[in-house]
Amino acid sequence: MRFGDRTLTYRELVDVAGATARRLGDARRVAVWATPTLESAVAVVGALTAGVAAVPVNPKIGERELAHIVSDSRPDAVLADPGATLPAGLADVPRIDVHTQPATESAPTFGEPDPESPAMIVYTSGTTGAPKGVVLPRRAIAATMDALTDAWRWTAADTVVHGLPLFHVHGLILGILGPLRQGGTAWHLGTFTLDGLTGALAHGGTMMFGVPTMYHRIAEELDNRPDLADALRGARLLVSGSAALPVHDQERIRAATGQRVIERYGMSETLMNTSVRADGERKAGTVGVPLAGVALRLVDESDAPVEEWDGETVGEIQVHGPNLFTEYLNRPDATAEAFDGPWFRTGDMAVRDADGYVKIVGRKGTDIIKSGGYKIGAGEIENALLEHPEVAEVAVTGEPDDDLGERIVAWVVPAGGRPDESALVDHVARLLTPHKRPRVVRYLDALPRNDMGKVLKRSLHA
Ligand code: MCA
Ligand code: AMP
């Protein structure tokens, strides 16, 4: 495992993660202050070793969102880099500093916990309310990893390079645990930069994981960066996920490097569902075919299966398989609503080609925004803005953005005079998290509403 210049061999990781595991005692659940550091990765491997569920927490999290995660998940401790300053919202949670110096004591042995026991709880936004804790059992993580091993011809010879955050499935489960499952190398860049990426791919990286915003930034720079183009050309596999990769960016990367970036499609609740296979046809604009063990169907509005594989008939994607989560923590109502029998309702709308390739065409509702690969619920931002004294009414939408995929727009009816845009932006960043801040604020005298008083979001952009 490598973060910048700091590395741990497998032998060393077993020692330091084992030492961390030993300190967890009879904890049931621990928070991990998920800075992009070796300490965070060791904390998660330590918790997994001990069979204690880990709750990764965004280190830029705002006070309201942190309070929710702490009260909802009730961690017995928080694992952190000794150098990290923790916010007041964690003051009542015992802190365990994670050390990465291999110990001299012999490694303890831990039994393998029940495959159905929770490995991780990852918080994800919904259309309304505060984020929900997705309980991921060990079985789901193992199943998704093994399906990707097959689809990507992923081996111990691979070094995965990325600069993804460690508090979501993409960066943490795929980007750190994935390489460990293979016996290969995880190389985290600390933060995503084109220089860091170029250096890592030129010095042994064989695979890259990124969100479309990262590939867009690569595509924008390729003409000026022959070193970056060379580094990408030498990689075995470039993988994009978390949001749709525009065909235009994929084409620009292919023209400059000869590499066709492959897309895979997943969700916090389902881990990975589909992928273009490393050894399959690399069709642009599709998320490939269902992974081994994953059953996938499209359904119409009455949940009846759409049988056409004609590339035209749109349906909602439903999935089931060993890759699925167990439940939303403390939310049996939301868990029940998310399923149709064994089938999980993804809310993603898609078509299927004659050869089975899935193409995502949109989402069921307007209230989920994907910005920079982060999933953001319009409702949580609206609630935060309504707490601002200068806001009378508000609607939040996403609109297309070349860099972020979608940018968050807040449509505000002021309570009195027009509030300062940066005050509203900072208010959201402080309460929730910086990546949920509106990128644009537009002021209106009134929101368009239907006869029932419901805001007509689609007509806002018109
Ligand atoms: C800006 N900043 C602020 C404010 N404005 N901080 C406080 N208050 C403000 N008002 C700070 C930010 O915190 C950040 O700090 C810096 O300014 C730049 O912010 P931003 O413009 O938002 O960042 P960016 O550089 O444009 O980020 C683009 C990104 C990022 C790197 C692509 O969006 C990203 O990492 N996305 C990955 C999302 C992801 O992993 N999603 C997976 C979930 P600083 O510079 O210090 O950071 S989906 C998933 O897991 C499923 C299973 C799947 O399919 O993968
Ligand atoms: P999250 O809940 O943050 O895990 O985000 C999951 C959502 O990301 C999915 O429901 C999709 O809407 C979206 N997503 C993930 N991968 C892709 C992809 N390759 N193409 C389009 N959308 C994607």
Side-chain angles (χ1 to χ4, degrees):
M1 203 146 67
R2 174 166 186 171
F3 279 74
D5 294 333
R6 303 173 66 209
T7 60
L8 286 176
T9 63
Y10 274 89
R11 179 72 258 160
E12 291 165 342
L13 178 59
V14 167
D15 278 358
V16 296
T20 304
R22 247 197 326 263
R23 295 170 64 201
L24 302 187
D26 55 7
R28 180 179 57 136
R29 206 178 275 157
V30 292
V32 172
W33 189 246
T35 50
T37 58
L38 205 49
E39 282 75 8
S40 299
V42 169
V44 170
V45 177
L48 285 170
T49 303
V52 174
V55 186
V57 178
N58 173 0
K60 290 207 183 116
I61 196 164
E63 52 198 61
R64 175 68 39 82
E65 206 159 296
L66 178 61
H68 166 66
I69 291 180
V70 170
S71 68
D72 190 50
S73 68
R74 302 192 170 280
D76 297 306
V78 52
L79 306 190
D81 177 341
T85 306
L86 299 186
L90 284 167
D92 293 339
V93 183
R95 173 175 180 153
I96 297 178
D97 281 330
V98 176
H99 298 285
T100 56
Q101 286 303 322
T104 43
E105 324 153 47
S106 62
T109 48
F110 289 87
E112 177 63 25
D114 185 317
E116 292 304 319
S117 62
M120 238 177 257
I121 297 167
V122 177
Y123 278 81
T124 190
S125 293
T127 49
T128 56
K132 301 185 288 266
V134 175
V135 180
L136 292 166
R138 301 171 78 89
R139 169 261 302 156
I141 296 178
T144 225
M145 246 38 128
D146 294 344
L148 294 177
T149 304
D150 165 56
W152 297 344
R153 297 285 177 247
W154 194 354
T155 73
D158 281 307
T159 293
V160 175
V161 175
H162 69 95
L164 291 158
L166 297 187
F167 47 88
H168 279 306
V169 165
H170 195 169
L172 181 58
I173 296 186
L174 269 58
I176 300 293
L177 302 183
L180 297 182
R181 181 87 174 169
Q182 312 301 330
T185 303
W187 185 338
H188 196 282
L189 301 172
T191 45
F192 176 78
T193 63
L194 297 183
D195 286 339
L197 175 69
T198 304
L201 288 177
H203 291 93
T206 65
M207 294 167 77
M208 171 191 165
F209 291 171
V211 294
T213 300
M214 295 169 180
Y215 287 104
H216 176 76
R217 292 180 184 179
I218 289 171
E220 289 283 289
E221 280 303 309
L222 278 172
D223 285 348
N224 310 320
R225 297 277 313 244
D227 57 335
L228 173 61
D230 284 345
L232 290 165
R233 194 174 298 118
R236 187 179 73 75
L237 200 64
L238 309 178
V239 186
S240 175
S242 303
L245 178 66
V247 173
H248 175 61
D249 288 332
Q250 201 183 37
E251 287 301 336
R252 288 196 289 172
I253 293 170
R254 186 158 85 123
T257 70
Q259 291 272 9
R260 172 76 85 185
V261 178
I262 66 162
E263 277 195 88
R264 82 335 176 253
Y265 157 66
M267 248 181 125
S268 303
E269 290 89 335
T270 65
L271 303 182
M272 295 304 116
N273 295 311
T274 71
S275 184
V276 172
R277 294 181 60 89
D279 55 5
E281 190 192 344
R282 301 203 181 174
K283 285 204 216 170
T286 95
V287 295
V289 295
L291 293 166
V294 178
L296 182 146
R297 67 178 192 179
L298 302 184
V299 297
D300 66 17
E301 262 156 35
S302 53
D303 284 339
V306 167
E307 306 293 353
E308 292 88 347
W309 288 21
D310 56 4
E312 277 179 19
T313 313
V314 178
E316 181 191 358
I317 301 176
Q318 295 190 342
V319 289
H320 80 78
N323 52 314
L324 260 54
F325 73 135
T326 320
E327 59 173 348
Y328 293 116
L329 189 67
N330 306 323
R331 294 293 308 277
D333 55 327
T335 308
E337 245 176 66
F339 284 90
D340 173 19
W343 296 95
F344 175 75
R345 310 170 192 272
T346 65
D348 293 307
M349 305 301 290
V351 299
R352 248 177 134 164
D353 285 350
D355 48 11
Y357 278 63
V358 176
K359 196 182 267 178
I360 295 176
V361 296
R363 285 197 58 86
K364 218 170 170 184
T366 50
D367 282 337
I368 293 284
I369 301 163
K370 267 270 164 169
S371 188
Y374 287 113
K375 183 173 179 175
I376 301 157
E380 48 181 322
I381 307 174
E382 289 161 358
N383 289 340
L385 284 169
L386 282 173
E387 282 183 43
H388 194 281
E390 291 176 281
V391 174
E393 290 180 65
V394 64
V396 166
T397 60
E399 67 184 17
D401 185 278
D402 285 345
D403 182 47
L404 296 170
E406 286 184 286
R407 61 175 164 262
I408 298 170
V409 185
W411 306 80
V412 171
V413 178
R418 177 179 281 212
D420 184 35
E421 173 161 348
S422 65
L424 298 183
V425 169
D426 290 346
H427 173 78
V428 175
R430 186 176 54 76
L431 280 188
L432 303 180
T433 173
H435 69 250
K436 295 184 180 175
R437 71 191 189 278
R439 305 290 172 133
V440 183
V441 180
R442 299 211 177 103
Y443 299 94
L444 300 170
D445 293 331
L447 296 175
R449 293 180 186 271
N450 66 11
D451 293 344
M452 311 287 291
K454 190 172 180 299
V455 178
L456 297 167
K457 290 202 174 179
R458 290 189 206 273
S459 71
L460 277 167
H461 288 279

